[in-house]
Structure formats: structure tokens, C-alpha cells
Amino acid sequence: MADLHQIQTEFTNVSSFLTALGDQKRQAIIISLLKTNSCEGLQVPELTSVTGLSRPAVSHHLKILKDAHLMAVRSEGTKNFYYLSHDIKEIDELKTLLDHVTAIIHQTETKS
């Protein structure tokens, strides 16, 4: 059986990532960036129209996504362009956690 202490640590390590993914407005931002399918990114005004949120609210969500390493930003003069980060460490950590939880579930199924 997997080490439950290790699983608790893995949950702790991905908690902000899960929080970032859990909001529908942030999901809409992520989907919009996936649709662009490039590293050019989108600006806040483009994301306000997608989410229906104000500029400050979009900026708040972008900060959460940046803090979770899901998003990066590049500047051109005074313009900021937001795009999906290529740092997938948190995604890999989440996959590992899910693999460990899945293994425990499968172990309990075979014991039943």
C-alpha cells in the first residue's frame, strides 16, 4: 500500500494548483488560452470579454494562475500578453498523486 503520509504531502503540494483549476472563470481563461494555440498570448481586455469580468477581477484570476505556474506573461512596451506556462511540474505532481490514489483504490477493489 502507498505511504499515506506521502499522499498527504502530495495533496499539500498541489493544493494551490487544484484551487487555481477549480474556478470556472479561471477555467474559461485557460480554455481561451488553449484556443489561441500559440505563445503569443492574450491581453486582459480580450479575457474580460471571455469571462464577463472586470479588468481588476481578470487580473486577480491571472495572478492566481501565475502563482500556480499555469500562466506566464510577456511584455511589449506597456502591453502584457498572458499565455500558458510551459512549466508542467505541478501537472506532473498532480498526475503522480492521482496515480498513487488510483493504486490504493485498485488495491482495495482486489481485497473486496
Side-chain angles (χ1 to χ4, degrees):
M1 180 180 272
D3 178 9
L4 296 180
H5 179 71
Q6 176 187 352
I7 289 175
Q8 180 59 54
T9 300
E10 291 170 353
F11 267 116
T12 300
N13 291 343
V14 298
S15 65
S16 65
F17 185 76
L18 291 171
T19 299
L21 290 176
D23 183 87
Q24 289 182 339
K25 296 299 183 178
R26 289 191 287 274
Q27 291 167 10
I29 291 170
I30 292 168
I31 298 289
S32 295
L33 292 169
L34 287 169
K35 284 180 184 176
T36 65
N37 199 24
S38 73
C39 291
E40 291 180 24
L42 297 173
Q43 293 181 277
V44 170
E46 295 167 301
L47 295 170
T48 59
S49 65
V50 169
T51 60
L53 296 172
S54 66
R55 289 176 66 97
V58 168
S59 294
H60 170 74
H61 287 292
L62 291 172
K63 180 182 179 341
I64 292 169
L65 292 169
K66 279 179 58 183
D67 290 347
H69 305 272
L70 279 163
M71 175 142 327
V73 62
R74 70 178 172 78
S75 297
E76 288 183 13
T78 59
K79 297 178 181 179
N80 290 325
F81 295 86
Y82 297 89
Y83 59 95
L84 292 175
S85 172
H86 295 282
D87 178 2
I88 60 168
K89 177 182 172 245
E90 282 77 10
I91 294 171
D92 289 338
E93 288 177 353
L94 178 58
K95 287 167 47 177
T96 299
L97 168 64
L98 294 173
D99 287 344
H100 290 154
V101 171
T102 302
I104 290 174
I105 291 170
H106 286 303
Q107 286 174 359
T108 58
E109 285 177 348
T110 59
K111 290 180 182 179
S112 298

